[in-house]
Amino acid sequence: MTKLLLSLHVLASILAVGPITVAASMFPRYAKPPAPGDDGPHDHDLRTAAFLHKICRGYAVVGIAVPVLGLATGAQMGVLGDAWLVASIVLTTIAAALLMSMVLPGQRELLEEEGEGEHLSGMGTGAGSDALTVAARRSAAARLAMTTGIFNLLWATVVVLMIVRPGSTTGA
């Protein structure tokens, strides 16, 4: 049973968290408007950004399986109290909180560009008079890229902890 749970946990991690990390990392590039007066090529494409946001939202729901299967695996292995697993649980909780409180809302905010967000993001919020200026939007995209990078580093750290399992007596 342990091998089945561990296999499902690893598969869920790869298939759910992987797409979130990639899509969230790509999002700021497509949501960031070109600088004023920049007539050169740019990647600003709200349709692509809206699609990446949809991927992040959808896989975030599927990603709930990762900690559920992880806790079941840890319980089956009898390692729920081990420091490496506790650290992984804490980092996973922080990463999930970051995704839900900063990454997804930040993406949604950037999609609400001058009223276009309503039909692109499917959120129905529109920007109206609260539309961000180009400079503010570029700054928000940069902050979102940084936040997404932190989210990704948290997940990378969890992966390393899961593989190395420092202090574990179950072997590596």
Side-chain angles (χ1 to χ4, degrees), residues 67-78:
V68 170
L69 290 166
L71 287 171
T73 303
Q76 185 74 25
M77 293 173 65

Side-chain angles (χ1 to χ4, degrees), residues 107-124:
Q107 289 177 349
R108 190 170 38 250
E109 177 183 319
L110 283 169
L111 285 173
E112 295 172 352
E113 182 169 320
E114 298 171 17
E116 290 181 20
E118 186 170 331
H119 73 274
L120 288 176
S121 68
M123 304 306 280

Side-chain angles (χ1 to χ4, degrees), residues 20-86:
I20 295 171
T21 59
V22 172
S25 295
M26 292 173 61
F27 180 91
R29 175 182 182 173
Y30 291 100
K32 180 177 159 182
D38 182 7
D39 295 331
H42 58 82
D43 293 326
H44 184 64
D45 180 356
L46 286 181
R47 292 192 190 284
T48 301
F51 178 68
L52 294 169
H53 177 62
K54 188 174 183 179
I55 289 171
C56 291
R57 280 192 343 243
Y59 280 95
V61 173
V62 175
I64 294 169
V66 176
V68 170
L69 290 166
L71 287 171
T73 303
Q76 185 74 25
M77 293 173 65
V79 295
L80 285 179
D82 286 10
W84 63 271
L85 187 57
V86 171

Side-chain angles (χ1 to χ4, degrees), residues 2 5 14 23 58 62 71 74 137 139 141 143 145 147-148 153-154 156 161 172:
T2 301
L5 286 172
I14 292 168
V62 175
L71 287 171
R137 203 168 283 292
S139 178
R143 280 191 312 277
T147 304
T148 301
L153 284 173
L154 288 168
L161 285 172

